[in-house]
């Protein structure tokens, strides 16, 4: 789905303050995969997301989305339609005053006929569980609901892949849960490839693969069990491990024999 090949990106600043935000990254993401990208602030996650979506053009290397090189300007709309993007702040993504009009905005701009738009809007709103709010005003909805509307807007363009850049960062715990449930449903039931950027560790435990970034580089990747079993390494990066993994780690330090790679409460209870 996505092929990132020796990718670098440099923000060119005033004087000699250039920032190498992405530094020689190689990454392949398969169709249908659920990948979580973790990393502390400034590690290059958003820059990487924007490079995948063609919002930024590589300084070096290439990004291919479904075989399309993001450097080719004439492919850019096709690339953005294939790999849709959801951002942190739902208020910046909502453009209309009625939910269903907002969700229709993308396909309308693609020049799709109105009957098909109607079908897509209804389907997208049902998938994110917001169909009964279709005639509501988005600004009166909760943060989690607004973010689900933003996701429906991307879905209505029928992308194969969805990139979400900290979509839960501004939400309360129940909003986060709503959005996470929606994202895993898109992966499981709609077979969408998901690239989910977050700094909440518990949002990473169900991923197929976790990619950890630091200073523009990928420094650790693997299944959640593999990545979180490197507790010391993850902590050194200023990241947390999931609460349960942390507890298991502390128990081990006290001499209690539990495995290092437990991720869920149920698992830890069983082991204990
Ligand atoms: P993350 O999303 O992981 O927090 P970013 O990709 O936003 O990281 O930033 C990576 C690096 O690039 C940081 O050092 C950041 O300060 C810098 N950076 C991000 N955006 C810009 C910009 N528009 N101009 C200059 N530097 C930037
Ligand atoms: Mg960011």
């Amino acid at each position: 789905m996505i092929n990132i090949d020796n990718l670098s990106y440099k923000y060119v600043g005033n004087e000699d303050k250039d920032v190498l935000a992405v530094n020689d990254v190689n990454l392949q993401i398969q169709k249908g995969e659920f990948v979580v990208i973790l990393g502390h602030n400034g590690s290059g996650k958003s820059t990487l997301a924007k490079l995948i979506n063609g919002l930024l053009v590589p300084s070096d290397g290439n990004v291919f989305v479904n075989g399309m090189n993001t450097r080719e300007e004439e492919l850019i709309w096709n690339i953005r339609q294939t790999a849709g993007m959801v951002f942190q702040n739902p208020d910046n993504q909502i453009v209309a005053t009625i939910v269903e009009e907002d969700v229709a905005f993308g396909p309308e701009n693609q020049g799709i006929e109105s009957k098909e738009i109607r079908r897509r809007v209804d389907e997208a709103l049902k998938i994110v569980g917001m169909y009964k709010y279709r005639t509501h005003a988005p600004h009166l909805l909760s943060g989690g609901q607004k973010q689900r509307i933003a996701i429906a807007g991307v879905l209505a363009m029928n992308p194969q892949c969805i990139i979400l850049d900290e979509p839960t960062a501004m939400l309360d715990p129940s909003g986060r849960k709503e959005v996470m449930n929606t994202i895993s449903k898109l992966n499981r039931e709609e077979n969408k490839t998901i690239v989910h950027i977050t700094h909440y560790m518990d949002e990473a435990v169900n991923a197929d693969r976790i990619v950890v970034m630091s200073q523009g580089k990928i420094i650790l990747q693997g299944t959640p069990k593999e990545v979180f079993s490197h507790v010391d390494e993850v902590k050194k990066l200023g990241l947390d491990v999931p609460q349960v993994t942390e507890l298991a780690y502390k128990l081990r330090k006290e001499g209690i024999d539990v495995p290092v790679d437990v991720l869920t409460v149920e698992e830890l209870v069983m082991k204990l």
Side-chain angles (χ1 to χ4, degrees):
M1 183 76 244
I2 297 168
N3 184 9
I4 296 173
D5 181 24
N6 291 110
L7 178 67
S8 294
Y9 188 83
K10 191 185 276 177
Y11 290 102
V12 180
N14 304 327
E15 292 136 40
D16 45 16
K17 282 196 262 168
D18 292 355
V19 179
L20 190 55
V22 170
N23 185 0
D24 201 19
V25 164
N26 288 289
L27 180 66
Q28 279 79 40
I29 295 173
Q30 310 304 321
K31 286 202 171 117
E33 209 179 353
F34 186 163
V35 174
V36 165
I37 300 182
L38 295 176
H40 56 74
N41 264 342
S43 57
K45 306 181 299 298
S46 293
T47 305
L48 183 66
K50 288 174 187 160
L51 285 159
I52 297 172
N53 195 243
L55 287 167
L56 296 174
V57 180
S59 307
D60 240 311
N62 291 295
V63 180
F64 299 91
V65 175
N66 215 6
M68 297 178 282
N69 191 327
T70 62
R71 288 179 181 278
E72 292 185 34
E73 262 172 60
E74 63 273 23
L75 296 177
I76 209 70
W77 293 110
N78 202 342
I79 287 168
R80 290 194 190 145
Q81 187 267 312
T82 305
M85 188 133 167
V86 176
F87 298 93
Q88 190 176 97
N89 188 342
D91 291 319
N92 294 345
Q93 299 170 80
I94 285 168
V95 293
T97 51
I98 296 176
V99 164
E100 61 185 5
E101 286 175 10
D102 189 81
V103 176
F105 185 79
E108 264 166 16
N109 280 302
Q110 289 179 301
I112 287 163
E113 64 156 328
S114 55
K115 230 173 96 188
E116 171 66 7
I117 293 177
R118 179 78 259 167
R119 193 193 67 75
R120 286 198 191 180
V121 168
D122 289 348
E123 186 185 21
L125 283 169
K126 282 175 188 162
I127 291 169
V128 302
M130 289 297 290
Y131 184 68
K132 69 175 180 202
Y133 292 91
R134 63 193 177 283
T135 59
H136 287 226
H139 69 276
L140 297 176
L141 300 174
S142 73
Q145 290 174 322
K146 281 192 251 190
Q147 201 58 299
R148 285 190 282 151
I149 299 298
I151 293 172
V154 170
L155 271 181
M157 296 202 277
N158 209 10
Q160 294 180 51
C161 172
I162 304 178
I163 303 155
L164 306 104
D165 189 358
E166 303 205 26
T168 60
M170 302 181 76
L171 307 181
D172 60 17
S174 71
R176 279 181 54 204
K177 202 175 246 173
E178 283 169 35
V179 168
M180 282 317 297
N181 288 342
T182 305
I183 295 171
S184 43
K185 182 175 170 196
L186 293 180
N187 180 250
R188 281 192 329 262
E189 293 172 21
E190 306 297 322
N191 203 28
K192 302 291 183 195
T193 308
I194 301 288
V195 181
H196 176 55
I197 298 172
T198 184
H199 57 249
Y200 291 112
M201 301 305 129
D202 53 332
E203 295 181 1
V205 297
N206 293 317
D208 293 319
R209 179 156 51 125
I210 295 177
V211 172
V212 184
M213 290 187 70
S214 179
Q215 297 183 342
K217 283 187 170 295
I218 293 174
I219 50 155
L220 194 60
Q221 65 172 309
T223 62
K225 277 185 184 296
E226 285 163 0
V227 167
F228 290 130
S229 62
H230 297 263
V231 179
D232 287 319
E233 210 173 331
V234 171
K235 281 171 171 285
K236 229 182 273 162
L237 292 166
L239 298 171
D240 289 326
V241 294
Q243 271 182 355
V244 171
T245 312
E246 171 83 28
L247 178 58
Y249 175 75
K250 287 184 171 162
L251 289 171
R252 277 183 76 81
K253 279 195 159 173
E254 297 297 321
I256 297 163
D257 184 24
V258 287
V260 281
D261 63 354
V262 282
L263 292 176
T264 64
V265 173
E266 292 73 24
E267 244 181 299
L268 184 55
V269 168
M270 284 309 292
K271 301 293 182 190
L272 284 171

